[in-house]
Amino acid sequence: MQLPREVIVGHGAIERVAEVSRRLGFHRSALIIAGSKTYDIAAKRVKELLEEKEGMTVDTFLIETAMMKDVQAVETEIKSLKPQIVFGVGGGTKIDVAKCSSARQAIPFISVPTTASHDGIASPVSSIKDFEKPYSVMAEAPLAIIADTNIIMRAPWRFAVSGCEDVIAKFTAVRDWKLAHEEKGEYFGGYAASLALMSAKHVIQNVQLMKSENEEGLRILIEALISCGVSMSIAGSSRPCSGSEHLFGHALDVIRPNHSLHGERCGVGTIMMAYLLGQDWKRIRDALRNLGAPINAQELGVEKKEVLRALEMAATIRPERYTILNKLNLCKEGYEHLAKVTEVI
Ligand SMILES: [Zn+2]
């Protein structure tokens, strides 16, 4: 089990980056992975603080996508610069690449998220796209997470809503995990499952606080996302956080690449998979609606036939991951009925 050693969440948390780095024993050199936008938003400040307060040698490497070629480029950079520590500063892609490349080079990694759009900010799993097919790679949990709510607040609120949806998706993910345990004898960790589930309940209970400009709501969301990341560290896989709803989301991303946010796709998937799992899918749908999240194909900006294709493709995305989709093995008409009855199409 690998858990983060320091988690700092709050207004102005980024100002403590040098102090955290020193406490963890890194005071000589660092490599910052960021995007061109997140460089201005946060990475520049991280670099200044490390250089000025600790006198560290700090290099920066900018990336724009999370493909295998980006991971390899960062690995080359790590090999030549030999930094003590890698910082991933940005939203999903930058953190995914920093996490994956640092783990492959056995260098510790600190996560500095600039959005709260999914649970990758704290998880040991990297989502890397290759040949246009997204897949998850087990990497290492971040050694520290520094989440500055003042910076994250500046991102469009849609990103935070996506984060809420990614947390709510744990209702179906955990149920799928339990199903795999009951039917296939797969390892099931009750503690990891409870932790992921508790985060989902916490977000649903606080939906009213999840409004833009509300830093308290954002803090609750970030803590929930971090707890989800920790649940994956405890489980040793993404099982507590990713089930059939994520498979649907990944399939839709293959069909319409980069068209919607991760949480948005998974949120719509959660509504449908909750129905298949016999859960209170209407409650989940209503919570998503209250958040202002898309709840059907039209709001997601995709065509009905794309939703149906994604449903058919979902179980093939990750064949080793047993979910309700394998158990039911629905035909085309079955998926159409599912999408219609849940009012997704
Ligand atoms: Zn997710």
Side-chain angles (χ1 to χ4, degrees), residues 117-120 162 165-167 169-170 232 241-242 245-246 250 262-263 266:
S117 59
H118 64 74
D119 59 24
S162 166
E165 298 177 88
D166 198 24
V167 177
K170 306 331 174 202
M232 289 185 252
C241 294
S242 170
E245 76 298 319
H246 269 69
H250 294 325
H262 171 81
C266 295

Side-chain angles (χ1 to χ4, degrees), residues 296-297 303-305 307-308 335-336 339-340 342-345:
N296 55 43
E303 289 179 35
K304 291 176 182 178
K305 62 173 193 251
V307 167
L308 296 176
Y335 285 129
E336 195 165 350
K340 280 187 175 155
T342 51
E343 294 163 6
V344 169
I345 65 169

Side-chain angles (χ1 to χ4, degrees), residues 23-24 44 61 65 97 151 156 166 173 200 216 293 295 302 333:
R23 223 175 11 242
L24 293 169
K44 192 164 159 257
F61 192 80
T65 51
V97 171
I151 290 172
D166 198 24
E216 173 65 7
I295 54 170
V302 297
E333 290 71 29

Side-chain angles (χ1 to χ4, degrees), residues 165-202:
E165 298 177 88
D166 198 24
V167 177
I168 290 170
K170 306 331 174 202
F171 281 116
T172 46
V174 167
R175 191 64 75 89
D176 272 324
W177 191 17
K178 200 154 197 194
L179 189 73
H181 172 66
E182 287 162 359
E183 310 221 342
K184 297 284 161 190
E186 200 179 299
Y187 160 76
F188 177 80
Y191 185 83
S194 304
L195 192 58
L197 217 46
M198 188 175 70
S199 305
K201 285 180 187 157
H202 200 55

Side-chain angles (χ1 to χ4, degrees), residues 157 207-215 217-218 290-291:
W157 189 246
V207 160
Q208 294 314 321
L209 283 177
M210 302 295 171
K211 300 266 179 311
S212 75
E213 310 291 312
N214 189 340
E215 215 165 330
L218 193 62
N290 286 338
L291 283 165

